[in-house]
Amino acid sequence: MSRTAESSIVTKCAQIIDLLTKARKPMGFSEIVSGTGFVKSSCHRLLAVLQGERLVAYDTENRVYKCGPRLQEWTRAVWRRADLQDAAVEPMGQLRERTGMNVALSILDEDAVLYLRTSDHVPVRYAAHPGDRAPLHCTAAGKLFLAHMSSANRQKILLGKDLERFTEFTRTDAAALERELEQIRAQGYASAISEEFLQVMGISAPIRNEQDQVIAALSLWTLTVMAKPEELVALAPELQAAAGRISAGVALGGGA
């Protein structure tokens, strides 16, 4: 299929979703055809695609269409991220100033770490920025997420692809990594010393929702020339306390 055709389909699907989200009540097929100006056969195919993706729902009894559950899930996810970032601003700034190190807030995004917010005390050329992604197996936040996901999901990630070696300290053996993840669950934080970049080391603590599920990670990191690994690890209790404050803020804000 050509890129033009793909774009046309996406655009038309977006038009239907726009129409349904702005409507005050569910819409019948003829109303959607009239509102979009699409040919009936084309409109029917597009609605079928959107239903298959759970973006549109069809009420068989009343024969009307409305926004599907997937759109509602996306909306909740956006609000959760907003609540999370709002709750993290002050604790992240305080942690940065007290420790003189860099702080990052991240979430799990399929099989990678996704950074939402960073607060750097020391500018570093290869520091992560909001929107950047990082591997799971060689970062403190990534290992934290691996440790707290279901065993089935973890095995799918660890066994589904080769674990890339970034430095001589990158752990690429799945069995050895599993043993480290057990320790992470027991101690309540994760660490990565020179595993993604030789010059960088970090620790990460979990941010939890009201159901005690890990929804994000708060990380503290610095350059290896600026501190010793044991000095960084000694800050784990302070990092965990900051993560706890963010967790409490998310709970108060209704985040899940």
Side-chain angles (χ1 to χ4, degrees), residues 10 15 18 42 48 90 93-94 113 159 164 211 213 226 232 251:
V10 171
Q15 285 181 255
D18 281 343
S42 175
E90 187 174 342
Q94 293 173 344
V113 174
L159 302 179
E164 183 177 354
Q211 290 74 44
Q213 299 166 326
M226 299 188 70
L232 174 66

Side-chain angles (χ1 to χ4, degrees), residues 137-149:
H137 68 288
C138 60
T139 58
K143 288 193 281 187
L144 188 79
F145 290 133
L146 284 170
H148 291 283
M149 68 175 58

